[in-house]
Amino acid sequence: MPVDASLATLSDQLFAWAIVVYSIALICYCGEYAFGRRGRVASTSPERALVTVGAGSTTGSTGTSAGAPAEPAPGRRRQADRFGRVAVAATALGLVIELASLTTRGLATDRWPWGNMMEFAAVVGAVGVLTFLGVLVKQPQVRYLGMFVLLPVVVLLFLGGTVLYSEPAPLVPALRSYWITIHVTTIAIGTGIFLVSSVATLLYLVRRRWELAVEAGRTPTRFPVTLGSRMPTTEVLDRMAYRTAAFGFPIYTFAIISGAIWAEAAWGRYWGWDPKETWAFITWVVYAAYLHARATAGWRGTAAARVNLIAFGTMVFNFFIVNMVVSGLHSYAGLT
Amino acid sequence: MSTPVRDVDVDPGELSTQPAPVEPPRGGPLAHLRNAWRRLTSMRTALVLLFLLALASVPGSLLPQRPLNPIKVDQYIADHPQLSRVLDAAGFFDVFAAPWFAAIYLLLFVSLVGCVVPRLKQHALAMLRPPPIVPRRLDRLPMSDSYPASGTPTEVAAAATRALRGWRTVTRTEDDGTVTVAAEKGYLRETGNLIFHFALVLLLGGIAVGRLLGYQGTVLITEEDPGICNAAPLYDSFRPGRLVDGSGLAEFCIDRLDDYTTTYEADGTPAEFRADITYSAGADGAPTQYPLRVNSPLRVEGLRVYLVSHGFAPQFTIRTPDGTEVRDVSAPFLPLDGALLSEGAVKLLDTVDPQLALFGLFAPTAARSEDGTIRSLDSRPNLPAVAVEVYRGDLGLDSGAPQSVYAIDQRQVTNGALKVVANVLLTKQSPTVRLDDGTTITYEGYREWATLQVNHDPGQTVVLWAAGAIVLGLLLSLSVRRRRLFLRITPASTAPGGSVDNSAPVDDGSPPDPDGRTVVAVGGLARTDAGSYDTEFARVVERLRDTSELRKD
Ligand code: HEM
């Protein structure tokens, strides 16, 4: 099947536009963050664990200002809210453009548009954004965290459009099976969800350091920790990290199984410890360890959060390092 | 501060994920044993073992592995002789069969069984037992509410129980006339968790069965040549499971490779590989045809047959001056690269005297490289050519020393028994070479060959079922939330602030009802991750309130 060149070009243009629109969204989230107050998010969380202080007052000490969070001026608040709304709208628009780019790519090549690293990265980014929008529906108060979700997504798409870029092309025969569609789709969905989970976990760790410092009566001054002042409570972040991970885990599990079913049909064995399979296994085991850690005394909180990050790290390793450095069956996929 | 809700409520023993207290061993060796067992089956140990399992897999992906690529392993050993000796001795070139790797997963699974079997019993009991006693102070639970109701506590309780469909409820009456309703929901969470963990054990079992009783045979068949039957010695290579001795394999024969075809995209990339085979299976053994393709193996008699690779077998006709003509001799040449430049040897032993051999390279789309050697531009046979060295003399096959069918025994060349008598490029246009003794060798074209793999894995179906159960179990255990709902229905007379009885227990958390009506205090608690229980709780309370209002009329 020949590749439709004009559609392929359109797809590439849409891809670039998606990056641009996401970047605008990213800037707007930053705007919301800059104008916003820190108290709001924290105080709308069900557990009022820590008394939080208002925005801007970097010197404000906690314990004393109970019940009187310093509010920013209403004007600033409206400003922040406007930024936030524009940001969400831009995020949604970016997602639509990205999906359009994927669709045109699929039409151009007459196959599902996730047959190489670039397309896979695009799908992961889209799922990450979609997951975040899903979280927003349930927890609107974490809106400005979109900044931290979109940052890796934009980086990922940028890499996809540059380093990982490949011309739209048909697939090699071993990849022509509906199982690959299922397998790669679910892996991408799982990865996108885990991306959001790890962002929440990262923020959790920052916020946790901030809370500890504040509890000890210190005012955090070092960079990532200072961000903690404007974040949701550890509870909210921990729950967001856990929910997304728990949502992604069965999907990822199914993805690995569908990969095994495909491998059985294509290569004669359902599991062969090929490097790509091995790292998928490692990722799976570490996520299982994360879910365990969340239920193990002495491991909850920071330790479990670290496990979540390690798990995502193994996933990133599998995508970049194993694909590009370590060779295996997956790299040339079947018969030559 | 960030204490998860689950810690708020622990029935000792039930569902607790705390590691069992590890007491200092008292008494004899039995106590020691019991202690070790408790340690092994604790969540903490499971965690550590999971980490170890992940960690131990890492070298298996970064170092070359024998089962995947023995040549790379040899290469690595040659490159790092010192380091490799240690690595090899420790099994690092076959990590997933190494004893230390097995030790980790076996310990993990022992821990798993030791952990999950008692949970199974507890879960069964929990399903039989009624929900627990309602706490005195419901306003201390993560979710609570209260509302006045009309009717006696018993009536209110009955209405509430009816409204709580899908919940398991128990109604109890306390000494002071207070009626409590305890409700619980979401038992499927633990069911799912147990299904998941047991399915893991089943999965391991299925894998083990395959390893012990499965086998794998590989055979290269050229078009028009006779095939083979399913017997260990007939395969080019045979990898038996631990308990397979090679006898009594399923009745199955690949009779023939009828035709091998690769179809191509317009741009020359392969679109489909296809081997049309004739096979016969089972007792009756009627010959059947099957188009074998990548992603579509033949499944028959518990066997699976795969198309693994393909290549070319150039054909030659040899005529000697004495009039002997040997037609269509050929041998499979093995691909060296993606464009199917292939290397092989054609040997004539008894048909001509002295023996002849052709060793060389076949290119489906031939071109000359700068250094004059032949290369292939494309895997499609657009311009086939074969570059051969012709050897004459004694091939050394009588010596009994094993030799490759794809190469010439170089020892015979060095000891002078075998001599190169020609070195030529043969194509369709100039297919023939004449040797010094008048013998001619003519390139006639090529046949194609395919490598087929015959697999048997009796554990595979179990593995698939186990995998399905794993997903199902996970879905249940990660989406269902175990939650409890408590009602404490205080009659008007005993409600604190009520007018009649001051000896009633004070301050049980229920607010006094100014009208002296029945008061319903509601509390909610999620046993694990609370999820959206708060919204559900609000909804349920709303419903309960409605039913109690209705009863007023
Ligand atoms: C092959 C090893 C194991 C794997 C891959 C594994 C995986 C998991 C996963 C993914 C979960 C979370 C999902 C769920 O709740 O069903 C979980 C939960 C659980 N596992 Fe395991 N597990 C393993 C071994 C063990 C062992 C050895 C124990 C006991 C020491 C154990 C005890 C538990 C418990 C108690 C939970 C429930 C935690 C909760 O209530 O949230 N598991 N396991």
Side-chain angles (χ1 to χ4, degrees):
Chain A
M1 285 149 274
V3 171
D4 184 326
S6 60
L7 267 182
T9 312
L10 177 62
S11 166
D12 285 352
Q13 283 165 352
L14 287 171
F15 193 84
W17 274 109
I19 296 182
V20 170
V21 175
Y22 280 150
S23 303
I24 293 172
L26 185 55
I27 292 166
C28 292
Y29 284 123
C30 292
E32 178 180 28
Y33 183 80
F35 283 102
R37 64 197 156 120
R38 57 183 93 159
R40 194 181 88 227
V41 171
S43 56
T44 45
S45 81
E47 296 87 4
R48 259 160 253 118
L50 266 181
V51 178
T52 42
V53 281
S57 57
T58 37
T59 49
S61 76
T62 33
T64 53
S65 58
E71 299 281 324
R76 282 176 68 87
R77 219 162 73 206
R78 243 178 291 126
Q79 198 88 358
D81 196 49
R82 211 172 300 142
F83 269 118
R85 284 166 192 277
V86 174
V88 173
T91 310
L93 179 65
L95 181 63
V96 170
I97 298 177
E98 200 192 342
L99 293 177
S101 165
L102 281 166
T103 311
T104 43
R105 223 168 208 267
L107 290 175
T109 49
D110 198 17
R111 61 171 167 79
W112 289 95
W114 34 91
N116 56 46
M117 281 181 78
M118 174 215 189
E119 294 163 7
F120 185 84
V123 177
V124 169
V127 173
V129 169
L130 197 63
T131 308
F132 175 68
L133 291 177
V135 170
L136 274 194
V137 171
K138 290 210 165 176
Q139 289 179 290
Q141 74 269 30
V142 300
R143 182 170 71 195
Y144 66 91
L145 296 187
M147 176 165 73
F148 300 101
V149 175
L150 274 195
L151 187 65
V153 168
V154 168
V155 171
L156 187 66
L157 291 192
F158 183 73
L159 288 178
T162 52
V163 184
L164 309 177
Y165 182 77
S166 44
E167 297 285 340
L171 293 173
V172 301
L175 298 181
R176 294 178 190 186
S177 138
Y178 59 87
W179 279 110
I180 192 209
T181 314
I182 298 173
H183 171 60
V184 183
T185 310
T186 44
I187 288 272
I189 293 175
T191 308
I193 297 172
F194 285 148
L195 171 74
V196 176
S197 180
S198 68
V199 167
T201 305
L202 215 56
L203 300 184
Y204 168 89
L205 287 174
V206 171
R207 171 73 186 192
R208 172 107 187 111
R209 297 244 314 259
W210 184 87
E211 282 183 4
L212 284 179
V214 170
E215 262 174 82
R218 278 179 288 117
T219 308
T221 49
R222 275 193 307 128
F223 162 60
V225 183
T226 50
L227 287 179
S229 68
R230 297 192 181 187
M231 276 173 195
T233 58
T234 43
E235 247 120 319
V236 172
L237 291 169
D238 182 51
R239 201 172 329 131
M240 182 169 156
Y242 171 73
R243 292 256 183 87
T244 40
F247 184 52
F249 191 72
I251 297 177
Y252 191 66
T253 307
F254 175 76
I256 294 178
I257 292 169
S258 64
I261 293 175
W262 170 39
E264 195 268 350
W267 299 324
R269 83 290 186 289
Y270 57 84
W271 195 263
W273 296 112
D274 171 88
K276 201 101 182 107
E277 293 170 355
T278 305
W279 279 93
F281 172 76
I282 292 171
T283 300
W284 189 81
V285 169
V286 182
Y287 271 113
Y290 165 68
L291 295 177
H292 261 207
R294 289 244 342 170
T296 306
W299 276 82
R300 288 179 203 125
T302 315
R306 293 217 174 97
V307 180
N308 184 317
L309 287 188
I310 294 172
F312 191 71
T314 63
M315 194 140 196
V316 172
F317 185 90
N318 199 357
F319 183 59
F320 286 105
I321 309 298
V322 176
N323 272 352
M324 295 158 96
V325 183
V326 185
S327 68
L329 261 185
H330 280 76
S331 56
Y332 64 88
L335 281 161
T336 46
Chain B
M1 178 187 39
S2 57
T3 330
V5 178
R6 56 189 300 129
D7 276 4
V8 177
D9 128 273
V10 256
D11 317 347
E14 194 208 19
L15 271 189
S16 167
T17 50
Q18 309 269 350
V22 180
E23 297 150 15
R26 255 171 310 148
L30 213 66
H32 271 287
L33 260 178
R34 202 177 312 126
N35 209 38
W37 177 249
R38 250 195 242 144
R39 242 179 228 279
L40 180 64
T41 56
S42 74
M43 281 290 269
R44 228 175 264 264
T45 308
L47 248 185
V48 171
L49 287 171
L50 278 171
F51 277 128
L52 277 179
L53 187 66
L55 202 62
S57 309
V58 174
S61 76
L62 300 182
L63 290 170
Q65 298 290 299
R66 282 223 169 79
L68 287 178
N69 199 335
I71 299 164
K72 259 198 193 161
V73 174
D74 294 340
Q75 183 77 49
Y76 188 89
I77 292 177
D79 292 348
H80 314 268
Q82 219 94 73
L83 180 64
S84 297
R85 201 159 341 123
V86 184
L87 290 179
D88 204 5
F92 275 92
F93 295 123
D94 191 0
V95 164
F96 303 104
W100 45 268
F101 191 79
I104 295 171
Y105 70 74
L106 287 178
L107 267 181
L108 181 58
F109 274 85
V110 169
S111 167
L112 182 128
V113 171
C115 167
V116 175
V117 168
R119 285 165 62 98
L120 184 65
K121 204 172 105 192
Q122 275 170 12
H123 185 50
L125 286 177
M127 303 247 267
L128 296 174
R129 258 201 309 256
I133 304 282
V134 174
R136 290 215 76 75
R137 297 280 313 254
L138 294 184
D139 59 340
R140 286 194 179 154
L141 295 183
M143 283 156 246
S144 62
D145 202 348
S146 76
Y147 55 90
S150 43
T152 66
T154 319
E155 284 165 356
V156 173
T161 312
R162 271 196 304 277
L164 287 171
R165 250 198 286 145
W167 292 74
R168 178 128 53 127
T169 59
V170 55
T171 307
R172 300 182 180 92
T173 308
E174 294 182 357
D175 295 342
D176 61 2
T178 304
V179 177
T180 67
V181 178
E184 188 157 6
K185 208 177 181 179
Y187 292 85
L188 274 179
R189 180 189 184 91
E190 181 67 359
T191 309
N193 190 312
L194 291 171
I195 290 176
F196 169 75
H197 285 87
F198 277 109
L200 284 176
V201 180
L202 191 64
L203 182 88
L204 189 71
I207 295 172
V209 167
R211 288 278 201 83
L212 294 176
L213 300 176
Y215 57 84
Q216 183 187 85
T218 311
V219 62
L220 184 153
I221 302 182
T222 308
E223 288 166 344
E224 297 158 36
D225 280 359
I228 64 155
C229 285
N230 188 26
L234 300 183
Y235 287 108
D236 296 337
S237 82
F238 187 74
R239 297 222 312 245
R242 294 264 161 86
L243 300 182
V244 174
D245 61 5
S247 64
L249 307 187
E251 281 185 48
F252 173 75
C253 296
I254 301 167
D255 302 323
R256 221 170 27 254
L257 171 63
D258 299 312
D259 187 24
Y260 176 84
T261 341
T262 307
T263 44
Y264 296 88
E265 301 285 0
D267 67 351
T269 52
E272 186 189 75
F273 305 107
R274 173 168 154 172
D276 290 302
I277 61 168
T278 301
Y279 70 92
S280 42
D284 67 339
T288 316
Q289 283 173 330
Y290 188 82
L292 209 56
R293 278 172 305 221
V294 179
N295 284 328
S296 119
L298 164 67
R299 297 173 192 274
V300 65
E301 291 285 308
L303 299 173
R304 289 132 44 213
V305 185
Y306 294 88
L307 168 60
V308 176
S309 61
H310 73 101
F312 295 96
Q315 282 175 294
F316 302 90
T317 295
I318 288 120
R319 297 184 187 86
T320 56
D322 62 7
T324 316
E325 185 181 74
V326 192
R327 296 191 65 91
D328 290 346
V329 282
S330 75
F333 280 34
L334 296 185
L336 300 174
D337 62 22
L340 292 191
L341 179 69
S342 312
E343 185 184 75
V346 179
K347 302 178 183 181
L348 287 94
L349 307 175
D350 312 323
T351 43
V352 291
D353 185 31
Q355 295 176 336
L356 273 181
L358 313 174
F359 173 73
L361 294 167
F362 174 86
T365 301
R368 284 216 175 270
S369 338
E370 283 114 53
D371 60 356
T373 54
I374 186 175
R375 66 196 181 102
S376 177
L377 300 178
D378 199 316
S379 60
R380 285 175 290 188
N382 296 331
L383 192 63
V386 60
V388 287
E389 286 171 335
V390 182
Y391 290 80
R392 190 169 57 205
D394 179 7
L395 287 168
L397 280 158
D398 304 330
S399 68
Q403 62 170 252
S404 164
V405 294
Y406 301 107
I408 304 295
D409 189 349
Q410 286 303 316
R411 281 167 305 190
Q412 295 297 102
V413 180
T414 33
N415 70 22
L418 203 54
K419 287 207 170 57
V420 179
V421 290
N423 195 336
V424 287
L425 182 73
L426 303 178
T427 62
K428 236 191 217 152
Q429 285 72 36
S430 64
T432 305
V433 58
R434 179 181 293 274
L435 304 182
D436 51 6
D437 64 354
T439 304
T440 62
I441 298 170
T442 306
Y443 164 68
E444 303 280 2
Y446 58 85
R447 289 189 281 164
E448 290 185 79
W449 54 260
T451 310
L452 307 182
Q453 194 180 75
V454 179
N455 286 358
H456 175 61
D457 183 344
Q460 188 166 293
T461 318
V462 176
V463 170
L464 187 61
W465 279 104
I470 281 173
V471 174
L472 176 78
L474 274 179
L475 282 177
L476 286 179
S477 102
L478 291 174
S479 65
V480 176
R481 299 195 168 88
R482 181 98 169 256
R483 51 220 190 271
R484 285 179 181 165
L485 186 77
F486 297 115
L487 303 184
R488 178 166 281 280
I489 307 160
T490 322
S493 57
T494 59
S499 50
V500 184
D501 188 359
N502 283 333
S503 69
V506 279
D507 191 25
D508 63 355
S510 2
D513 180 58
D515 305 333
R517 285 195 299 174
T518 303
V519 172
V520 184
V522 193
L525 177 71
R527 310 259 354 248
T528 37
D529 166 48
S532 51
Y533 186 38
D534 42 0
T535 49
E536 184 190 0
F537 179 78
R539 234 179 21 244
V540 172
V541 171
E542 202 50 46
R543 200 166 69 226
L544 290 174
R545 201 194 288 259
D546 286 351
T547 52
S548 72
E549 292 298 318
L550 281 180
R551 297 208 40 99
K552 197 161 55 176
D553 312 324

